[in-house]
Amino acid sequence: DQQVKQNSPSLSVQEGRISILNCDYTNSMFDYFLWYKKYPAEGPTFLISISSIKDKNEDGRFTVFLNKSAKHLSLHIVPSQPGDSAVYFCAASVKEYGNKLVFGAGTILRVKS
Amino acid sequence: DSGVTQTPKHLITATGQRVTLRCSPRSGDLSVYWYQQSLDQGLQFLIQYYNGEERAKGNILERFSAQQFPDLHSELNLSSLELGDSALYFCASSRDNINQPQHFGDGTRLSIL
């Protein structure tokens, strides 16, 4: 039962343009969502999060949008830089179940210079 | 550097053996989480400890066990190892128990021969 889905295995974007990574979820009880970035041979690095009471959160070049009715969230990176090339994971949790994260399968982002 | 330390980085052992993976959380974090990343399963939650007590369990095998010590470091014990246990094992920590970003270590790569 894949509760968090990242349907695009990979995405290629030109440097300076916007990268949009998408994530869908099925469990309506999820109330906290996060994005992580992962480089090879390293652990996931936390990027940005959003609570289900909000629909947008910004941190520098990164913005996360949450559409609860569509059970969809997205991560926008503007402008994209070559150093952003990594695997991006979407994750979600339910407060009642503690803080355990359910992860999507990841999307490989390649930013071309 | 996330501040979460995992040792060892690599572990090679044989089927039937037992290993212990160690994790030191970020300073001040009370919660420790263990995740398994295998090729076909992605990042899967195993178990969570909060201030020394077990708080949540995922799909952790009975052959696996964990504990969190008074100094808040944690150990994951894997016994009667099978070929399918080969994976990356990540530890993460967070300040407390609810809706907090988790910060990951760089993982222990376990190879079963």
Side-chain angles (χ1 to χ4, degrees):
Chain A
D1 177 21
Q2 205 177 353
Q3 299 184 65
V4 177
K5 299 178 186 178
Q6 293 176 257
N7 292 319
S8 298
S10 64
L11 175 67
S12 187
V13 171
Q14 199 66 36
E15 181 180 7
R17 298 290 187 97
I18 183 170
S19 294
I20 300 176
L21 297 118
N22 294 303
C23 178
D24 297 298
Y25 61 95
T26 56
N27 187 345
S28 57
M29 292 185 67
F30 285 140
D31 53 15
Y32 186 58
F33 302 88
L34 309 90
W35 284 94
Y36 284 85
K37 176 173 74 173
K38 187 181 182 305
Y39 294 119
E42 293 184 12
T45 299
F46 169 70
L47 280 175
I48 193 169
S49 62
I50 188 168
S51 163
S52 60
I53 62 173
K54 295 185 174 182
D55 54 18
K56 178 182 173 181
N57 189 27
E58 275 183 86
D59 185 0
R61 295 186 299 116
F62 302 93
T63 302
V64 56
F65 295 91
L66 176 62
N67 182 335
K68 287 191 293 293
S69 60
K71 295 194 180 68
H72 178 84
L73 70 157
S74 60
L75 174 69
H76 292 210
I77 306 173
V78 184
S80 300
Q81 300 172 354
D84 295 330
S85 298
V87 181
Y88 287 77
F89 291 97
C90 167
S93 66
V94 179
K95 185 167 66 177
E96 281 74 19
Y97 301 155
N99 207 20
K100 67 178 184 180
L101 296 178
V102 179
F103 280 88
T107 297
I108 300 170
L109 174 64
R110 294 189 188 90
V111 180
K112 300 175 288 187
S113 55
Chain B
D1 182 9
S2 68
V4 178
T5 303
Q6 289 189 248
T7 57
K9 290 193 184 307
H10 303 279
L11 202 47
I12 302 174
T13 188
T15 55
Q17 296 298 305
R18 172 190 167 95
V19 296
T20 296
L21 313 183
R22 183 189 167 98
C23 170
S24 294
R26 290 190 320 162
S27 176
D29 284 359
L30 299 178
S31 264
V32 170
Y33 311 79
W34 287 96
Y35 291 85
Q36 180 191 56
Q37 185 182 29
S38 53
L39 278 173
D40 57 345
Q41 292 287 331
L43 271 158
Q44 300 282 321
F45 169 76
L46 292 177
I47 196 163
Q48 175 199 0
Y49 279 81
Y50 175 74
N51 205 20
E53 297 202 359
E54 182 185 303
R55 276 302 175 96
K57 251 182 171 177
N59 294 327
I60 186 167
L61 298 171
E62 285 190 13
R63 301 183 285 109
F64 296 1
S65 65
Q67 53 184 330
Q68 187 180 26
F69 294 87
D71 67 352
L72 300 178
H73 92 270
S74 178
E75 293 180 356
L76 179 67
N77 301 296
L78 316 176
S79 61
S80 303
L81 287 168
E82 301 176 359
L83 293 176
D85 297 328
S86 295
L88 266 170
Y89 291 85
F90 288 104
C91 169
S93 71
S94 67
R95 189 73 50 187
D96 58 29
N97 196 32
I98 296 174
N99 287 2
Q100 291 276 309
Q102 295 175 28
H103 299 272
F104 283 75
D106 286 340
T108 293
R109 180 172 293 281
L110 176 64
S111 299
I112 312 299
L113 303 180

